[in-house]
Amino acid sequence: FMSGEQDGELSHSAMDMGALFEELAELAPAGGGMPPELAAADLTMETVADRTTMYLRAPMFEALADTGGGVPVEQLGPMAALAELGDDWGRVDLDALGDVVPLNDLAGTAGGQAMDPRAFFDLVAGADAVDELGDAEVRGVAVQGLGAEVTMGELFEASGTDPEELAGSTGNALADDAERFFEAIVDVSMPVEAWIDDDGYVRRLAYEMDLLEMFESAGLSDDLGGDVPDEFAYSFTMDFFDYGDDSIAIELPDPDETVDITDAFLEVYAGSET
């Protein structure tokens, strides 16, 4: 579950990974759910950012390190810097991320340049075959919906990401087959819904990815191992509300009370250093 708010160049987001980790644990070959120590841990991540700096508070890294099979934190490499934050705030220099993908997209999103929901609506509305989904309500607001099949490549482009750059710039953030994976999935299609209100504001975006189809398209399905489920899908729904609400106020942490984790962030997520 993730929530967030945008106020000009300032943005704030909060994510709870507990439900996702629980589902992944159930899908693992051994099954049985999460380890008790992880189930009881704080698996949240919070970010606050402007266009130059992202502040990160993520006790989930400490929790993951604590379940690392008894490996001392100091032996976790760059992950140690994130784990050692605990409940404190870390600081990432967004300018230092440069052209690293997908980190520069994270920088854009966190720095007040979040994807335009209208671009996704236009993508659905401009598809070859569009279904009118009728009238509904999103958080009490009357909306009209459109649905269509779009490809992952089109979805990337609507979010401002070049699929070719993403495929070739993952560094060590993903497995060795990451480039082949991203090159293969750009043509995989998925159902996307977009809901808009009477004033032209996008109120909801929703799509569902068939992860098994993606792995099969990339020739990586054999790498999943264990008992592969018949269905392995990822559903995403994002609601947009409180447009123009003057009560939205985002405050940045005091830089003097934060820890610079730029180098560790780059190495963990992209396998590169400043």
Side-chain angles (χ1 to χ4, degrees), residues 175-182 184 212 214-225:
D176 293 337
D177 293 311
E179 184 171 349
R180 179 157 55 98
F181 177 76
F182 280 105
L212 286 181
M214 291 182 181
F215 275 93
E216 289 171 356
S217 297
L220 299 174
S221 56
D222 291 340
D223 296 342
L224 292 175

Short mmCIF file of all heavy atoms in Angstrom, two decimals, residues 175-182 184 212 214-225:
data_model
loop_
_atom_site.label_atom_id
_atom_site.label_comp_id
_atom_site.label_asym_id
_atom_site.label_seq_id
_atom_site.Cartn_x
_atom_site.Cartn_y
_atom_site.Cartn_z
N ALA A 175 18.93 -8.84 -11.86
CA ALA A 175 19.71 -10.02 -12.22
C ALA A 175 20.45 -9.79 -13.53
O ALA A 175 20.22 -8.81 -14.24
CB ALA A 175 18.79 -11.23 -12.32
N ASP A 176 21.34 -10.74 -13.86
CA ASP A 176 22.14 -10.62 -15.08
C ASP A 176 21.26 -10.57 -16.33
O ASP A 176 21.64 -10.03 -17.36
CB ASP A 176 23.12 -11.79 -15.20
CG ASP A 176 24.19 -11.75 -14.12
OD1 ASP A 176 24.43 -10.66 -13.58
OD2 ASP A 176 24.76 -12.82 -13.81
N ASP A 177 20.06 -11.15 -16.24
CA ASP A 177 19.17 -11.20 -17.40
C ASP A 177 18.24 -9.98 -17.47
O ASP A 177 17.29 -9.99 -18.25
CB ASP A 177 18.31 -12.46 -17.35
CG ASP A 177 19.13 -13.72 -17.52
OD1 ASP A 177 19.95 -13.75 -18.47
OD2 ASP A 177 18.97 -14.64 -16.72
N ALA A 178 18.53 -8.94 -16.68
CA ALA A 178 17.61 -7.80 -16.62
C ALA A 178 17.43 -7.14 -17.98
O ALA A 178 16.32 -6.80 -18.37
CB ALA A 178 18.12 -6.78 -15.59
N GLU A 179 18.54 -6.94 -18.70
CA GLU A 179 18.42 -6.25 -19.99
C GLU A 179 17.53 -7.04 -20.94
O GLU A 179 16.66 -6.47 -21.60
CB GLU A 179 19.81 -6.05 -20.60
CG GLU A 179 19.77 -5.24 -21.89
CD GLU A 179 21.16 -4.85 -22.38
OE1 GLU A 179 22.12 -5.02 -21.60
OE2 GLU A 179 21.26 -4.38 -23.52
N ARG A 180 17.74 -8.34 -21.01
CA ARG A 180 16.91 -9.19 -21.88
C ARG A 180 15.45 -9.15 -21.43
O ARG A 180 14.53 -9.14 -22.26
CB ARG A 180 17.44 -10.63 -21.86
CG ARG A 180 16.64 -11.61 -22.71
CD ARG A 180 17.49 -12.81 -23.09
NE ARG A 180 18.06 -13.49 -21.93
CZ ARG A 180 17.52 -14.57 -21.38
NH1 ARG A 180 16.39 -15.06 -21.87
NH2 ARG A 180 18.09 -15.15 -20.34
N PHE A 181 15.23 -9.11 -20.12
CA PHE A 181 13.87 -9.07 -19.58
C PHE A 181 13.15 -7.81 -20.04
O PHE A 181 12.04 -7.87 -20.58
CB PHE A 181 13.93 -9.12 -18.05
CG PHE A 181 12.59 -9.01 -17.38
CD1 PHE A 181 11.72 -10.09 -17.35
CD2 PHE A 181 12.19 -7.84 -16.77
CE1 PHE A 181 10.48 -10.00 -16.74
CE2 PHE A 181 10.96 -7.73 -16.15
CZ PHE A 181 10.11 -8.81 -16.13
N PHE A 182 13.79 -6.64 -19.87
CA PHE A 182 13.13 -5.39 -20.25
C PHE A 182 12.94 -5.27 -21.75
O PHE A 182 11.96 -4.71 -22.22
CB PHE A 182 13.92 -4.19 -19.71
CG PHE A 182 13.66 -3.91 -18.25
CD1 PHE A 182 14.60 -4.24 -17.29
CD2 PHE A 182 12.48 -3.34 -17.84
CE1 PHE A 182 14.37 -4.00 -15.95
CE2 PHE A 182 12.22 -3.10 -16.50
CZ PHE A 182 13.18 -3.42 -15.56
N ALA A 184 12.33 -7.72 -23.70
CA ALA A 184 11.28 -8.65 -24.10
C ALA A 184 9.89 -8.19 -23.71
O ALA A 184 8.92 -8.44 -24.43
CB ALA A 184 11.55 -10.03 -23.51
N LEU A 212 3.84 -13.90 -15.14
CA LEU A 212 4.27 -15.14 -15.79
C LEU A 212 4.48 -14.93 -17.29
O LEU A 212 5.45 -15.42 -17.87
CB LEU A 212 3.23 -16.24 -15.57
CG LEU A 212 3.18 -16.85 -14.17
CD1 LEU A 212 2.13 -17.94 -14.11
CD2 LEU A 212 4.54 -17.41 -13.76
N MET A 214 5.32 -12.18 -18.70
CA MET A 214 6.54 -11.39 -18.88
C MET A 214 7.78 -12.27 -18.82
O MET A 214 8.69 -12.17 -19.65
CB MET A 214 6.61 -10.30 -17.81
CG MET A 214 5.58 -9.21 -17.98
SD MET A 214 5.76 -7.93 -16.72
CE MET A 214 4.40 -6.85 -17.19
N PHE A 215 7.82 -13.16 -17.82
CA PHE A 215 8.98 -14.04 -17.70
C PHE A 215 9.07 -14.99 -18.89
O PHE A 215 10.16 -15.28 -19.38
CB PHE A 215 8.91 -14.83 -16.39
CG PHE A 215 9.47 -14.08 -15.21
CD1 PHE A 215 8.65 -13.32 -14.39
CD2 PHE A 215 10.82 -14.14 -14.93
CE1 PHE A 215 9.17 -12.63 -13.31
CE2 PHE A 215 11.35 -13.46 -13.85
CZ PHE A 215 10.52 -12.69 -13.03
N GLU A 216 7.92 -15.46 -19.36
CA GLU A 216 7.92 -16.36 -20.52
C GLU A 216 8.39 -15.63 -21.77
O GLU A 216 9.14 -16.18 -22.58
CB GLU A 216 6.52 -16.94 -20.72
CG GLU A 216 6.12 -17.95 -19.65
CD GLU A 216 4.65 -18.35 -19.74
OE1 GLU A 216 3.94 -17.77 -20.59
OE2 GLU A 216 4.22 -19.21 -18.95
N SER A 217 7.98 -14.38 -21.93
CA SER A 217 8.40 -13.60 -23.10
C SER A 217 9.90 -13.38 -23.11
O SER A 217 10.53 -13.32 -24.17
CB SER A 217 7.67 -12.24 -23.10
OG SER A 217 6.28 -12.41 -23.23
N ALA A 218 10.48 -13.25 -21.91
CA ALA A 218 11.92 -13.03 -21.80
C ALA A 218 12.70 -14.34 -21.76
O ALA A 218 13.93 -14.31 -21.67
CB ALA A 218 12.21 -12.21 -20.55
N GLY A 219 11.98 -15.49 -21.82
CA GLY A 219 12.66 -16.77 -21.76
C GLY A 219 13.24 -17.07 -20.40
O GLY A 219 14.23 -17.80 -20.28
N LEU A 220 12.63 -16.52 -19.36
CA LEU A 220 13.16 -16.68 -18.01
C LEU A 220 12.24 -17.47 -17.10
O LEU A 220 12.47 -17.55 -15.90
CB LEU A 220 13.40 -15.29 -17.37
CG LEU A 220 14.39 -14.38 -18.08
CD1 LEU A 220 14.40 -13.00 -17.44
CD2 LEU A 220 15.79 -14.99 -18.06
N SER A 221 11.20 -18.07 -17.65
CA SER A 221 10.23 -18.77 -16.81
C SER A 221 10.85 -19.94 -16.07
O SER A 221 10.45 -20.26 -14.95
CB SER A 221 9.04 -19.25 -17.65
OG SER A 221 9.48 -20.06 -18.73
N ASP A 222 11.87 -20.58 -16.66
CA ASP A 222 12.52 -21.72 -15.99
C ASP A 222 13.32 -21.27 -14.77
O ASP A 222 13.65 -22.08 -13.91
CB ASP A 222 13.45 -22.46 -16.96
CG ASP A 222 12.68 -23.18 -18.05
OD1 ASP A 222 11.47 -23.43 -17.86
OD2 ASP A 222 13.28 -23.47 -19.10
N ASP A 223 13.63 -19.97 -14.71
CA ASP A 223 14.43 -19.46 -13.59
C ASP A 223 13.60 -19.23 -12.34
O ASP A 223 14.15 -18.95 -11.28
CB ASP A 223 15.10 -18.14 -13.98
CG ASP A 223 16.10 -18.33 -15.12
OD1 ASP A 223 16.51 -19.48 -15.35
OD2 ASP A 223 16.46 -17.33 -15.76
N LEU A 224 12.27 -19.34 -12.46
CA LEU A 224 11.42 -19.09 -11.30
C LEU A 224 11.59 -20.18 -10.26
O LEU A 224 11.50 -19.94 -9.06
CB LEU A 224 9.95 -18.99 -11.73
CG LEU A 224 9.60 -17.76 -12.59
CD1 LEU A 224 8.15 -17.85 -13.04
CD2 LEU A 224 9.84 -16.48 -11.83
N GLY A 225 11.81 -21.41 -10.71
CA GLY A 225 12.05 -22.52 -9.78
C GLY A 225 10.82 -22.86 -8.98
O GLY A 225 9.81 -22.15 -8.97
#
